[in-house]
Amino acid sequence: MGRSRRTIPEELLLLALDPATGTTAQPQSLDLGLAGAQLVELALAGRIAPDGDRIAVVMPRPTGDPTLDSALELLRRRGSPVRAVHWIGGPRLGLRQVYLAHLERCGMVHAVAGQMCGVLPTTRYQATDTAISREIRARLDSAIRTGVPPDPRTAALAALAHAVGLGKHLYPGNEGRSSRSRLRDLIRHDPMGGLVAHAVMDVQNGVAAQPRRERAATPPAARATANGVPMQARRTGAMARAAAH
């Protein structure tokens, strides 16, 4: 895969990078989003394909992108299709740092060393070309503003941005409420992006133990204490999250 096109994980990380502070928004959920973004990019490259709520390798040939090829090889070693929620929630956290280092090697960001409270060493990251970040943001803004169905890459990027909670970072305050809502609605425009975005949200909500069709078939009494959390409490939390967006 050539470097003429930025990958979705790279774009998601650049969206999350705060130009004022040099830190990333939503750092914990961003790891999950980057794992999902790798799946979307591999699907667009024809290496994997969805199989229900699972991911199957259909072409194990490397893409030429080291970070994507590492994920592809791990998927290939599974030997059978893997559920998206299990892949995204698997022990591969730390992707944010992996991709920050990757972007630094590619010359898209540069690291700035500093100190917290004058003692603890810190590292901030600044984009080397802010026009790239503006172009990525402009694609999302256009899709939100015009209502025209976006291309699959932009739709998947929007779905993942919503899934990891970047809506408040990109469109803050009450004035950004309608934009956050439309960002969420873009999830329906790309099936693969929608699959991984829902998987990211399921992992965050702790409901990845069962496939969606099995959860739907679970008797209400059993669902009431799913994962040890009363359903009423989960419903209240979900309503609060929806209102926040």
Side-chain angles (χ1 to χ4, degrees), residues 28-67:
Q28 285 76 32
S29 58
L30 190 57
D31 275 332
L32 303 176
L34 290 170
Q38 287 184 321
L39 293 181
V40 176
E41 191 65 47
L42 288 170
L44 289 172
R47 286 355 187 238
I48 65 174
D51 180 6
D53 66 348
R54 297 175 182 268
I55 303 298
V57 175
V58 295
M59 183 190 299
R61 179 167 56 85
T63 65
D65 182 301
T67 52

Side-chain angles (χ1 to χ4, degrees), residues 115-205:
Q115 289 184 328
M116 180 183 297
C117 301
V119 178
L120 299 176
T122 61
T123 303
R124 297 181 294 110
Y125 292 88
Q126 299 291 339
T128 56
D129 186 352
T130 56
I132 294 176
S133 297
R134 289 198 301 270
E135 183 272 330
I136 298 169
R137 174 67 180 271
R139 282 165 39 215
L140 286 187
D141 290 346
S142 177
I144 287 173
R145 184 179 63 255
T146 65
V148 175
D151 63 274
R153 301 183 71 83
T154 302
L157 181 63
L160 287 161
H162 167 70
V164 302
L166 288 184
K168 291 182 178 180
H169 167 69
L170 299 171
Y171 307 104
N174 287 332
E175 64 276 14
R177 185 182 296 271
S178 62
S179 293
R180 294 196 298 271
S181 177
R182 288 192 289 270
L183 179 71
R184 180 193 62 217
D185 292 343
L186 291 175
I187 200 170
R188 70 182 187 274
H189 289 295
D190 179 65
M192 186 65 179
L195 170 66
V196 298
H198 281 298
V200 167
M201 290 185 284
D202 279 352
V203 172
Q204 293 181 87
N205 293 333

